[in-house]
């Protein structure tokens, strides 16, 4: 199979680089300065064993490839806010032998949150979800880094569509073939029928992305306490919605010490995906699909989500105004959170007794 990595950033670049390094055929898709750097100098992949350079083909869209191949696997690794544009671009691309990518090819959603695969299912027939446990960084054009050792990451993988052929509680051969390729490329890739359980557990962890982006690393007790409040709010919403998610104990049992961060020369890990978006000054951030997913479910199920609302709003403001990541003191954010929680309580009481 050939892997077409749509969005060769932190996640897509590392997956594509590791696959290429293991001898698999890969095409990287990127834009702007990142596309130019990959085209001109190759993909520089910084990992515990050193800096590796891979030179797979690089394109900025499907036109450069012509017809896609029947054995192509499309890996969607853009941020969720960019998913619709990518799906509309790649879905109609013709495949050799007839039909389009949307009709014939598997699409792997290697992204945070849970919304992209729903967007994908509106266009593509064969969509697979991935729970991405992959600490990686992309802040410099042409360079991605992944500090995990001995494994680069763990990617739980499973189909998210139901047909008479693929029972909702089964997996399929395509997923197993993809998993086998990933497991030859420094990943563990369990094929699971309940990939959503893993994704919702990861969503709870990702609720701290906006906190980290706004105030910097969550390395003080004050910041950690605020994150626990934000996560508890998210868990309450998932429980009210009846959405199952993997427990912290089950995650630890599966992951153990398989992905341990080690220092990388010349590649400090400053923060997660949202922090990286602010660092690159992209003007957008994925908070609408992380904290915003909790806000959405809270409104649907009558659960207040003042802390996630606050983080969503602040993260979007920071991205829109291109503020530096970590530029709000954590004490100021805690004060805003406390005020927001009090106001939310007052509004609840007014609704009940007013």
């Amino acid at each position: 199979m050939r892997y077409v990595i749509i969005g060769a950033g932190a996640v897509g670049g590392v997956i594509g680089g590791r696959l290429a390094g293991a001898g698999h055929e890969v095409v990287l898709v990127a834009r702007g300065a990142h596309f130019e750097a990959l085209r001109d100098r190759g993909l520089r992949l910084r990992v515990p064993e050193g800096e590796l350079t891979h030179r797979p083909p690089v394109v900025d869209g499907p036109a450069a490839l012509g017809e896609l191949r029947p054995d192509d696997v499309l890996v969607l690794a853009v941020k969720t806010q960019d998913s619709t544009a990518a799906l509309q671009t790649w879905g109609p691309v013709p495949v050799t032998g007839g039909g389009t990518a949307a009709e014939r090819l598997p699409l792997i959603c290697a992204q945070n949150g849970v919304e992209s695969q729903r967007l994908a299912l509106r266009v593509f027939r064969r969509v697979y979800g991935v729970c991405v446990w992959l600490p990686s960084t992309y802040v410099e054009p042409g360079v991605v880094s992944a500090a995990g050792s001995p494994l680069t990451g763990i990617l739980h993988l499973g189909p998210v569509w139901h047909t008479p052929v693929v029972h909702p509680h089964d997996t399929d051969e395509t997923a197993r073939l993809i998993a086998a390729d990933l497991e030859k490329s420094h990943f563990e890739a369990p094929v699971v029928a309940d990939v959503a359980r893993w994704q919702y557990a990861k969503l709870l962890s990702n609720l701290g992305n906006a906190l980290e982006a706004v105030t910097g690393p969550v390395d003080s007790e004050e910041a950690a306490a605020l994150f626990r409040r934000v996560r508890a709010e998210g868990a309450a919403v998932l429980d009210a919605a009846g959405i199952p998610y993997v427990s912290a104990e089950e995650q630890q049992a599966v992951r153990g010490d398989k992905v341990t961060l080690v220092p990388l020369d010349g590649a400090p890990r400053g923060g997660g995906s949202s922090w990286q978006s602010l660092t690159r000054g992209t003007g957008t951030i994925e908070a609408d699909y992380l904290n915003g997913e909790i806000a959405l479910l809270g409104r649907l199920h009558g659960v207040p989500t003042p802390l996630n609302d606050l983080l969503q709003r602040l993260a979007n403001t920071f991205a829109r105004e291109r503020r530096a990541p970590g530029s709000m003191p954590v004490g100021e954010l805690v004060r805003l959170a406390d005020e927001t929680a009090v106001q939310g309580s007052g509004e609840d009481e007014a609704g009940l007794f007013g």
Side-chain angles (χ1 to χ4, degrees):
M1 296 185 289
R2 181 176 69 168
Y3 292 88
V4 180
I5 311 293
I6 304 170
V11 170
V14 171
I15 291 175
R18 282 307 203 184
L19 284 168
H24 300 290
E25 195 173 358
V26 171
V27 175
L28 302 179
V29 183
R31 300 179 297 182
H34 192 43
F35 163 72
E36 294 172 359
L38 293 172
R39 178 196 61 196
D40 297 342
R41 298 185 293 277
L43 173 69
R44 294 164 59 194
L45 175 62
R46 292 173 176 165
V47 286
E49 61 263 40
E51 181 172 299
L52 312 173
T53 299
H54 300 290
R55 295 185 176 274
V58 183
V59 300
D60 59 1
L65 292 177
E67 288 188 341
L68 293 172
R69 296 176 1 191
D71 63 346
D72 280 340
V73 175
L74 305 184
V75 180
L76 186 65
V78 300
K79 295 292 195 300
T80 302
Q81 63 267 25
D82 297 319
S83 289
T84 298
L87 293 164
Q88 291 173 346
T89 296
W90 288 87
V93 178
V95 177
T96 300
T100 65
E103 294 167 334
R104 294 187 57 191
L105 300 183
L107 180 80
I108 314 299
C109 292
Q111 300 160 287
N112 284 333
V114 295
E115 182 62 19
S116 264
Q117 57 204 35
R118 295 185 70 251
L119 297 172
L121 282 170
R122 299 176 190 275
V123 181
F124 280 77
R125 294 180 180 177
R126 300 168 62 198
V127 178
Y128 297 79
V130 179
C131 176
V132 179
W133 190 258
L134 170 55
S136 54
T137 301
Y138 158 54
V139 293
E140 176 187 350
V143 182
V144 296
S145 61
S149 179
L151 293 176
T152 297
I154 300 177
L155 307 173
H156 283 78
L157 167 71
V160 295
W161 85 100
H162 301 165
T163 74
V165 177
V166 181
H167 189 275
H169 299 295
D170 290 339
T171 57
D172 72 350
E173 185 61 21
T174 298
R176 287 189 283 272
L177 290 171
I178 293 167
D181 285 350
L182 289 169
E183 292 190 344
K184 296 171 186 173
S185 309
H186 294 268
F187 295 101
E188 186 172 288
V191 178
V192 294
D194 58 350
V195 67
R197 287 181 64 242
W198 291 90
Q199 291 174 315
Y200 277 105
K202 176 77 184 306
L203 173 64
L204 291 178
S205 298
N206 285 145
L207 298 181
N209 286 25
L211 193 162
E212 178 187 60
V214 170
T215 67
V218 183
D219 56 7
S220 68
E221 178 51 36
E222 192 174 25
L226 178 56
F227 172 63
R228 288 194 291 269
R229 292 166 61 190
V230 172
R231 188 189 184 285
E233 192 177 88
V237 166
L238 295 186
D239 291 343
I243 296 174
Y245 52 91
V246 176
S247 67
E249 292 75 18
E250 185 176 352
Q251 292 181 71
Q252 180 57 37
V254 170
R255 290 171 179 147
D257 297 324
K258 298 173 184 175
V259 184
T260 300
L261 299 187
V262 299
L264 297 180
D265 291 339
R269 178 170 166 78
S273 56
S274 297
W275 180 91
Q276 293 171 42
S277 292
L278 293 184
T279 299
R280 297 198 310 275
T282 62
T284 65
I285 201 165
E286 59 189 337
D288 286 348
Y289 303 99
L290 301 177
N291 307 91
E293 180 70 24
I294 295 302
L296 166 65
L297 290 170
R299 290 164 191 151
L300 289 174
H301 296 278
V303 180
T305 58
L307 299 180
N308 281 279
D309 292 349
L310 172 65
L311 286 176
Q312 179 186 4
R313 184 169 64 251
L314 286 173
N316 280 318
T317 299
F318 268 57
R320 184 173 58 252
E321 298 179 356
R322 289 179 165 78
R323 297 188 194 177
S327 54
M328 174 179 283
V330 67
E332 181 179 349
L333 179 56
V334 170
R335 178 184 61 80
L336 290 172
D338 290 341
E339 290 177 357
T340 299
V342 170
Q343 291 169 0
S345 176
E347 289 170 1
D348 292 344
E349 291 179 4
L352 289 171
F353 305 114

